């Protein structure tokens, strides 16, 4: 264990920067559990349990340029600190990474706060601060032990009952009630039949759980993909590099659409989910005719209540191709070699070709990204119009 005789640390801030600086540190240090614990006029104490970091207001200008470091429990916390600090308005002064010139296994990041102080966050030298499966063979770990790591390993992402945790330097695990076996099966299919850059699956299993909507909690152990999420770096890319990224994404879509499958829906079966199904999902569908009937039922509902134009033709589903169904910058990672990786295959399956472009077209953010990709892939205007016309049936009339 590392130890220190330092009880607390304080910095000063000019009047006009005081409250913004306090807010910046609250956001930047949130991955460490830091929050405002104590406040006096002109002074705020932050900490996870006790106020060990203070920001004090001063009327006169106080020179900045101090360098101090907090300790992160693991590398995921270092990464999360860097992201949170930059998002809050800090300036990168050293990306998360290994720096063996400092000491063996040193991993840290540096960010300048809004008044120029250099804030460092190294991973703890305490062996307990490393990822739980570092140096271990994942195949030697039982399903039961892996399941417990969903609540104890460092969290990378958490949304809507789905959690992604860091297991080791190279592995993550995705788990939750919405994690289906079909996602792992699709990733295996992508690995075996395409050149698309996507995480490789090492383990996957389902545990019966009657508290979950689908009756199980799913777990998928797969590659950790190092790089920058595209939604965090897209706006900073040059126009030329944005074009290169869009071209890579378009190539992925075209490769997926070159692979036809007979059975519609998720790979290996299961409920259909995504923007063109209800929040309650749909199916499973035994064949194309059954899926077609479901869509035409939704279209009929919309027409009967004047929520869809009368001239929209009936769905006629004849071709099913590999479909990601949720391509957006938040599900793309740009690695250090400027290669794009496609993650989060939860909604994937075999669907009509129009599903991919239609799903892209309704993405509410990064419209320049969407337009760039759509300009490079085939479009299906009539089918996209059909899908757009059943919105009422998927929302207000979801249970009809």
């Amino acid at each position: 264990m590392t130890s220190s005789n330092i009880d607390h640390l304080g910095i000063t801030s000019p009047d006009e920067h005081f409250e913004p600086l306090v807010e910046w540190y609250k956001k930047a240090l949130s991955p460490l559990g830091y929050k405002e614990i104590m406040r006096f006029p002109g002074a705020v104490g932050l900490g996870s349990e006790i106020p060990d970091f203070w920001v004090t207001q001063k009327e006169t200008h106080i020179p900045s340029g101090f360098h101090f470091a907090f300790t992160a429990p693991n590398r995921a916390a270092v990464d999360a600190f860097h992201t949170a600090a930059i998002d809050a308005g800090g300036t990168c002064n050293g990306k998360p990474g290994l720096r063996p010139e400092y000491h063996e296994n040193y991993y840290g990041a540096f960010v300048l706060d809004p008044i120029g102080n250099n804030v460092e966050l190294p991973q703890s030298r305490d062996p307990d601060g490393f990822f739980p499966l570092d140096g271990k063979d994942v195949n030697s770990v039982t399903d039961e032990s892996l399941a417990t790591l969903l609540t104890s390993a460092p969290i990378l992402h958490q949304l809507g009952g789905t959690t992604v945790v860091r297991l080791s330097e190279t592995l993550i695990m995705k788990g939750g009630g919405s994690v289906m076996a079909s996602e792992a099966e699709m990733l295996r299919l992508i690995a075996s039949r395409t050149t698309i850059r996507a995480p490789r699956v090492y383990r996957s299993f389902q545990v019966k759980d009657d508290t979950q909507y689908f009756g199980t909690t799913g777990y998928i152990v797969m590659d950790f993909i190092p790089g920058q999420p595209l939604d965090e770096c897209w706006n900073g890319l040059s126009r030329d590099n944005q074009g290169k990224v869009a071209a890579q994404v378009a190539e992925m879509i075209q490769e997926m659409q070159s692979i036809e499958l007979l059975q519609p829906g998720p790979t290996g079966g299961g409920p259909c989910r995504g923007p063109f199904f209800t929040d309650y999902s749909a199916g499973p569908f035994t064949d194309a005719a059954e899926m077609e009937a479901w869509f035409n039922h939704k279209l009929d509902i919309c027409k009967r209540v004047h929520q869809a134009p009368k001239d929209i033709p009936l769905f006629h589903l004849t071709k099913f191709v590999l479909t990601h169904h949720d391509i957006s910058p938040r599900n793309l990672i740009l690695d250090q070699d400027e290669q794009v990786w496609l993650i989060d295959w939860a909604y994937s399956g075999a669907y009509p070709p129009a599903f991919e472009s239609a799903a892209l077209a309704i993405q509410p953010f990064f419209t320049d990204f969407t337009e760039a990709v759509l300009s490079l892939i085939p479009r299906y205007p009539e089918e996209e119009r059909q899908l757009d016309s059943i919105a009422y049936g998927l929302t207000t009339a979801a249970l009809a």
Side-chain angles (χ1 to χ4, degrees):
M1 292 287 292
T2 57
S3 62
S4 172
N5 291 325
I6 297 175
D7 180 76
H8 63 276
L9 172 71
I11 62 171
T12 56
S13 169
D15 287 345
E16 67 272 20
H17 294 297
F18 176 65
E19 289 295 347
L21 191 63
V22 169
E23 290 303 311
W24 185 86
Y25 274 104
K26 286 163 67 174
K27 293 175 181 177
L29 299 179
S30 61
L32 303 182
Y34 269 56
K35 56 187 177 294
E36 182 176 322
I37 292 180
M38 191 173 292
R39 178 182 284 262
F40 299 105
V44 173
L46 307 177
S48 57
E49 296 180 1
I50 61 172
D52 55 21
F53 180 69
W54 288 82
V55 182
T56 304
Q57 185 176 9
K58 294 290 185 182
E59 293 182 3
T60 57
H61 176 69
I62 304 296
S64 59
F66 294 106
H67 175 198
F68 44 87
F70 297 85
T71 300
N74 48 56
R75 297 185 183 186
V78 174
D79 297 345
F81 154 76
H82 186 265
T83 298
I86 298 301
D87 287 348
T91 302
C92 177
N93 198 33
K95 293 182 178 180
L98 291 166
R99 292 173 174 82
E101 65 272 21
Y102 292 175
H103 67 73
E104 185 180 5
N105 295 323
Y106 176 99
Y107 186 95
F110 300 78
V111 177
L112 298 180
D113 74 12
I115 62 172
N117 293 308
N118 186 19
V119 186
E120 178 183 359
L121 193 73
Q123 179 187 6
S124 169
R125 302 190 198 195
D126 181 352
D128 292 337
F130 289 86
F131 299 120
L133 296 189
D134 276 343
K136 296 181 181 178
D137 180 358
V138 69
N139 293 317
S140 69
V141 183
T142 65
D143 288 351
E144 292 77 9
S145 295
L146 280 174
T148 64
L149 292 176
L150 193 65
T151 57
S152 61
I155 295 174
L156 291 179
H157 178 74
Q158 198 166 36
L159 180 67
T162 297
T163 301
V164 179
V165 297
R166 190 80 175 267
L167 297 181
S168 71
E169 283 297 296
T170 59
L171 296 177
I172 63 169
M173 182 169 67
K174 181 178 184 179
S178 295
V179 176
M180 311 299 288
S182 57
E183 182 175 1
E185 289 305 309
M186 173 58 85
L187 283 167
R188 293 186 178 104
L189 181 61
I190 290 295
S192 65
R193 297 188 60 180
T194 78
T195 61
I196 293 169
R197 289 174 291 278
R200 176 184 173 187
V201 172
Y202 295 88
R203 288 270 292 279
S204 65
F205 57 96
Q206 298 282 313
V207 176
K208 182 176 174 57
D209 186 348
D210 292 333
T211 67
Q212 300 292 344
Y213 179 76
F214 294 111
T216 62
T217 295
Y219 302 85
I220 305 175
V221 178
M222 56 187 134
D223 286 325
F224 168 72
I225 307 299
Q228 291 182 285
L230 193 61
D231 60 349
E232 295 180 8
C233 65
W234 172 261
N235 290 331
L237 297 177
S238 67
R239 186 174 296 273
D240 181 57
N241 284 337
Q242 286 182 344
K244 291 178 181 178
V245 167
Q248 289 186 56
V249 175
E251 288 174 5
M252 291 179 180
I253 293 172
Q254 290 167 351
E255 185 172 0
M256 283 190 285
Q257 298 202 336
S258 71
I259 299 176
E260 293 190 40
L261 299 172
L262 296 177
Q263 178 65 40
T267 307
C272 298
R273 298 177 295 162
F276 305 118
F277 298 101
T278 73
D279 287 344
Y280 306 99
S281 74
F285 300 109
T286 57
D287 54 28
E290 194 172 309
M291 179 181 282
E292 182 179 290
W294 186 87
F295 278 102
N296 282 326
H297 171 67
K298 290 298 181 182
L299 178 59
D300 179 61
I301 290 172
C302 294
K303 286 183 176 181
R304 283 193 281 116
V305 295
H306 308 291
Q307 294 296 320
K310 294 295 185 182
D311 65 341
I312 296 289
L314 293 175
F315 285 86
H316 185 50
L317 309 182
T318 59
K319 181 180 180 181
F320 298 90
V321 298
L322 287 185
T323 306
H324 182 276
H325 212 186
D326 193 19
I327 293 177
S328 69
R330 71 178 182 278
N331 290 331
L332 294 161
I333 293 178
L334 188 63
D335 70 18
Q336 63 180 3
D337 297 319
E338 299 184 345
Q339 299 294 303
V340 178
W341 294 72
L342 184 53
I343 63 172
D344 195 354
W345 293 73
Y347 294 165
S348 64
Y351 297 107
F355 272 47
E356 202 77 89
S357 55
L360 257 172
I362 62 174
Q363 290 287 342
F365 306 110
F366 298 96
T367 54
D368 51 346
F369 163 83
T370 299
E371 291 168 0
V373 176
L374 287 174
S375 70
L376 299 172
I377 63 174
R379 298 296 299 273
Y380 305 87
E382 182 174 287
E383 291 86 347
E384 290 177 27
R385 185 166 175 252
Q386 284 177 309
L387 291 168
D388 185 60
S389 72
I390 63 171
Y392 176 86
L394 303 179
T395 52
T396 305
L399 297 177

